[in-house]
Amino acid sequence: MDKTGNIYSFITEHLREFYTYTAFYNMTLGHIVMIAIGLFFIYLSISKEYEPLLLIPIGFGMLVGNIAFTSGLTIGIYESGSVLNYLYFGVMQGVYPPLIFLGIGAMTDFSALISNPKLMLIGAAAQFGIFGAYTAALLLGFSPAEAGAIGIIGGADGPTAIFLTSKLAPDLMGAVAISAYSYMALVPVIQPPIMRLLTTSRERVIRMKPPRSVSKLEKIMFPIIGLLLTTFIVPSGLPLLGMLFFGNLLKESGVTKRLADTAKGPMIDIVTILLGLTVGASTQATTFLSSQSLKIFALGAGSFIVATLAGVLFVKFFNLFLKEGNKINPLIGNSGVSAVPDSARVSHIIGLEYDKTNYLLMHAMGPNVAGVIGSAVAAGILLGFLS
Amino acid sequence: MMAEIKRTINLAGAFIVLVLVLAGGRSSAQSIADLRINEILVINDSNYVDDYGKRSGWIEIFNTAYNTVDIGGLYLTNDMTNPTKYPIPTGDPITKIAPRNYILFFADGLPTRGIQHLNFTLTETNYLALFAGNGKTMIDALKYGEQTPDVSYGRINDGHAEWGFLDKTTPAANNFTGEIVTSGDKFLLLDPYGVAMAFIAMSVVFGALILLYIVFKNTKQLYSINFKTLFSKKGKEPAPVKATKEDISGEVNAAIALSLHLYVSELHDHEDAVLTIKKVARTYSPWSSKIYGLRNLSK
């Protein structure tokens, strides 16, 4: 009888102990909120097809990161020695972003930019969003390094945002990365109202000259000259710009097809999976849910709006100096933010709404890829000044 | 026989190369050259106490590398004529210095108290050196002048070249104890609203992209030069230059390419309504064998 009693208490005691290890026991309201946001991301990516390649890994990562557990089991992303912590190393040390840039370089066709180089200036103008957010962040009491990391959200370039945050303010990584990728996914929602607001019906139907054909030699020379010119000015942008132009040379040289295919295919896919999942998992409610994160989200939205605004207004300003026939459709101004190719697609779709035969996609790709270069240069400057 | 000797020599050679490579790799991986004598306290009256509760002079060694370095097997000395005066024992976990970390040695002349206790004191001479395991290669050395009690002498910043008397003694800790002002903080002082930063950064972004614009706008002509013709030998008639129409739009090219593609591959354009039966040769494969497609009934 005694023995039975002992076994009974032994079992109940251990079951009770086991219960304390479960997520049901450790769950807080914050975890539930974060899981709900993760599920919302997954919903958006599947039903609305908003950046599914990013939002599915991030959304699922948010579920993974917010399964509550007892600390000390070496399973959490912030517990050194855990598997997730090892994978997160690539985010914290800025390893993944240059690899993503290699893939982007290998899949980007810079022809639109080479054929009409003046479109590069739109890519520069859209970087105003970064510095608008930087100023606002300083006013909200963030340190200059933190403000730099928050400002880069306005570049609309996830890898660049992660790279710079890993160097300037690693503590803000989760909030900055989630904010950057969320707004990139919401480009089709955020940008169109601003574009409509700032343009007249006459401007929206401006037809641009079709881009000229670009020779192979020009395409090969672009990454080489581009690298030398940009990194001589901003060497701190080397990890991103170096990999971007290297990837592009692999593509354009025509003799390294296998390497280019790997860079733009399996490699970028693997890195995207690791990056998305770990960034999502880094939003553990215990570290992520704070008023600071909310401020970062608000500043991120603001910087996106300013970037779009600056791009469109710059084209309108630029048109004052261009002859009739050479004018630029201001609807491509939004694509100066480097959310490739989403913002260019937005330009195209909005353009088609007003003229069914005016195809703006190729023209919009010019400032779009210039935006990638511009945001990497801006990141280099911030890194140089604030690190 | 000769071939066998040759093979043995080759194998021995390969083995020696392998050993040398491994030894070289080991020495570079250890990077003992990254060790620095970082701080010393010669006269310790009321300062740091060792693990026996005694006060003595001490030496701080700093690992400037970003990997762990084992100081075991190296030598510390205060005697120029005897570089191997105190051999630091090997195989002890204490001697493995973590990246950017420190190890302390007590110069109390009592080596029986543990591996961190040296067989000399710092007051005997005004010289201190760290030698490599071969007892010949000097890694770091220091000559110091007259010392003040309880004031340490060290590098102003860890691992840096400049030496001086430190405001605070910092055994096994960062030598610099002042407030660290980051470049970001300096920016904040001069530019609290980020206006200057925005101006500088946007100028640089525009500058970089304007430079690219100028280069690509003006180098377009460069690519169309035929250098073969330009540098062809005199006497040879240059090939007649074909008139090429520049700036053909991509749309025109796409239209030409599409029509060529349709012409070459769209065979249905020329169907003549004649039906033909073509025998299709199929190679045999056990997967397609008829036997495997039938049910075998028991007889």
Side-chain angles (χ1 to χ4, degrees):
Chain A
M1 187 67 191
D2 261 348
K3 214 173 183 180
T4 320
N6 281 343
I7 288 171
Y8 177 74
S9 62
F10 177 82
I11 291 171
T12 48
E13 195 180 308
H14 279 82
L15 278 174
R16 203 175 297 131
E17 192 185 333
F18 173 74
Y19 175 65
T20 63
Y21 293 140
T22 63
F24 293 109
Y25 181 82
N26 294 296
M27 191 67 77
T28 62
L29 182 66
H31 289 110
I32 295 167
V33 169
M34 292 311 298
I35 287 176
I37 296 172
L39 290 172
F40 180 63
F41 274 29
I42 294 171
Y43 162 78
L44 278 183
S45 53
I46 295 172
S47 68
K48 304 276 177 193
E49 290 192 29
Y50 287 164
E51 294 271 2
L53 296 181
L54 293 171
L55 285 194
I56 286 208
I58 290 177
F60 199 80
M62 287 167 101
L63 305 187
V64 170
N66 284 286
I67 305 297
F69 57 86
T70 317
S71 58
L73 297 175
T74 330
I75 50 172
I77 196 160
Y78 294 112
E79 287 185 292
S80 62
S82 74
V83 175
L84 283 174
N85 186 258
Y86 276 112
L87 298 179
Y88 194 49
F89 176 85
V91 174
M92 290 308 289
Q93 297 301 316
V95 178
Y96 296 148
L99 294 176
I100 297 257
F101 260 58
L102 179 70
I104 292 172
M107 63 173 73
T108 304
D109 185 357
F110 284 99
S111 308
L113 201 60
I114 301 167
S115 68
N116 195 359
K118 64 174 175 278
L119 298 179
M120 284 183 196
L121 302 180
I122 305 171
Q127 307 312 318
F128 268 115
I130 295 175
F131 301 101
Y134 173 79
T135 304
L138 284 180
L139 291 173
L140 284 176
F142 285 98
S143 73
E146 289 171 337
I150 295 165
I152 202 71
I153 298 170
D157 196 326
T160 307
I162 288 173
F163 177 76
L164 191 67
T165 310
S166 71
K167 306 287 175 197
L168 292 182
D171 298 346
L172 304 182
M173 179 61 79
V176 170
I178 294 291
S179 179
Y181 279 115
S182 307
Y183 292 128
M184 276 169 68
L186 294 174
V187 156
V189 179
I190 297 171
Q191 290 194 324
I194 303 166
M195 293 158 68
R196 288 194 187 101
L197 187 75
L198 296 175
T199 52
T200 62
S201 52
R202 208 169 140 231
E203 284 171 331
R204 288 177 211 139
V205 292
I206 290 177
R207 277 176 180 266
M208 293 171 68
K209 268 189 187 171
R212 69 174 173 87
S213 59
V214 176
S215 70
K216 191 185 171 189
L217 182 62
E218 279 178 280
K219 286 185 182 179
I220 292 172
M221 291 308 288
F222 181 80
I224 297 168
I225 297 172
L227 172 79
L228 295 176
L229 287 183
T230 53
T231 55
F232 266 56
I233 296 170
V234 192
S236 43
L238 191 57
L240 297 175
L241 291 166
M243 293 301 247
L244 177 78
F245 288 123
F246 172 53
N248 191 245
L249 183 62
L250 291 180
K251 173 183 181 282
E252 300 300 354
S253 67
V255 289
T256 50
K257 191 175 174 300
R258 273 172 53 196
L259 301 186
D261 285 346
T262 304
K264 72 179 178 191
M267 201 202 68
I268 198 168
D269 289 348
I270 291 168
V271 180
T272 303
I273 289 169
L274 294 175
L275 183 84
L277 189 78
T278 50
V279 161
S282 71
T283 61
Q284 265 182 22
T286 43
T287 54
F288 185 76
L289 279 182
S290 64
S291 60
Q292 207 179 36
S293 299
L294 284 178
K295 283 182 196 168
I296 291 170
F297 267 83
L299 287 167
S303 65
F304 248 74
I305 292 166
V306 173
T308 309
L309 205 124
V312 176
L313 288 179
F314 178 78
V315 175
K316 284 166 74 97
F317 175 72
F318 202 27
N319 273 343
L320 298 176
F321 305 96
L322 297 174
K323 285 181 207 160
E324 202 59 48
N326 277 340
K327 290 203 187 291
I328 303 169
N329 191 319
L331 288 180
I332 69 166
N334 71 302
S335 53
V337 301
S338 60
V340 181
D342 280 5
S343 48
R345 213 156 42 203
V346 167
S347 306
H348 183 69
I349 291 165
I350 302 292
L352 284 179
E353 276 179 21
Y354 295 94
D355 181 354
K356 292 256 179 286
T357 56
N358 194 5
Y359 302 108
L360 291 175
L361 189 65
M362 272 308 284
H363 304 291
M365 279 308 288
N368 211 186
V369 292
V372 177
I373 301 170
S375 60
V377 171
I381 298 161
L382 289 170
L383 188 63
F385 281 142
L386 302 176
S387 64
Chain B
M1 187 64 182
M2 279 301 286
E4 206 164 294
I5 293 168
K6 219 173 178 179
R7 210 179 69 185
T8 315
I9 292 168
N10 283 344
L11 273 174
F15 180 72
I16 290 164
V17 168
L18 188 68
V19 168
L20 284 173
V21 167
L22 288 175
R26 187 182 151 79
S27 66
S28 65
Q30 288 290 325
S31 54
I32 51 169
D34 292 319
L35 296 176
R36 295 280 179 281
I37 298 170
N38 203 45
E39 186 181 355
I40 57 166
L41 180 68
V42 179
I43 308 162
N44 185 353
D45 286 345
S46 59
N47 205 273
Y48 195 68
V49 177
D50 69 11
D51 39 356
Y52 287 85
K54 304 285 179 196
R55 290 191 172 84
S56 61
W58 48 261
I59 300 156
E60 179 190 82
I61 308 282
F62 176 55
N63 173 15
T64 60
Y66 288 90
N67 60 306
T68 300
V69 177
D70 191 354
I71 197 173
L74 275 59
Y75 297 96
L76 272 168
T77 182
N78 67 345
D79 185 355
M80 279 188 205
T81 59
N82 182 12
T84 58
K85 189 165 184 177
Y86 179 73
I88 302 167
T90 54
D92 197 295
I94 299 173
T95 60
K96 290 186 174 60
I97 314 173
R100 311 287 298 172
N101 222 314
Y102 316 85
I103 187 171
L104 276 186
F105 288 97
F106 299 99
D108 51 7
L110 298 165
T112 52
R113 289 192 166 179
I115 62 171
Q116 285 173 282
H117 293 261
L118 308 178
N119 56 0
F120 59 83
T121 65
L122 293 174
T123 47
E124 290 167 17
T125 63
N126 63 346
Y127 172 76
L128 178 68
L130 177 69
F131 276 86
N134 59 13
K136 290 173 188 165
T137 311
M138 184 191 283
I139 297 165
D140 197 11
L142 164 72
K143 266 192 168 183
Y144 45 91
E146 200 175 321
Q147 298 290 307
T148 315
D150 298 323
V151 176
S152 64
Y153 183 65
R155 296 176 190 271
I156 305 299
N157 288 299
D158 284 347
H160 286 212
E162 196 188 345
W163 282 77
F165 289 103
L166 303 179
D167 295 337
K168 294 173 187 173
T169 54
T170 56
N174 197 337
N175 284 5
F176 184 76
T177 51
E179 194 186 345
I180 296 167
V181 181
T182 62
S183 50
D185 296 331
K186 284 179 197 163
F187 240 96
L188 191 62
L189 279 176
L190 299 168
D191 179 30
Y193 303 112
V195 178
M197 167 65 92
F199 180 76
I200 296 168
M202 283 310 293
S203 309
V204 176
V205 172
F206 263 104
L209 289 173
I210 286 173
L211 195 61
L212 275 179
Y213 161 64
I214 292 167
V215 168
F216 284 102
K217 191 178 179 339
N218 296 304
T219 50
K220 192 177 75 180
Q221 313 300 332
L222 206 68
Y223 300 124
S224 54
I225 298 171
N226 189 342
F227 288 96
K228 273 185 190 168
T229 324
L230 204 67
F231 298 109
S232 60
K233 283 177 188 171
K234 280 180 187 174
K236 267 191 177 179
E237 281 291 314
V241 181
K242 283 180 187 172
T244 51
K245 202 176 179 184
E246 277 192 18
D247 288 354
I248 300 172
S249 78
E251 285 174 354
V252 175
N253 281 343
I256 295 168
L258 181 67
S259 55
L260 282 171
H261 172 74
L262 287 172
Y263 178 74
V264 173
S265 52
E266 285 287 313
L267 298 174
H268 295 287
D269 282 355
H270 302 287
E271 290 243 14
D272 51 10
V274 176
L275 288 175
T276 55
I277 298 170
K278 224 174 190 180
K279 194 185 174 187
V280 180
R282 283 210 185 105
T283 49
Y284 171 79
S285 155
W287 297 103
S288 60
S289 172
K290 207 192 306 177
I291 303 164
Y292 298 105
L294 296 172
R295 181 177 291 176
N296 292 320
L297 296 171
S298 55
K299 287 175 185 174

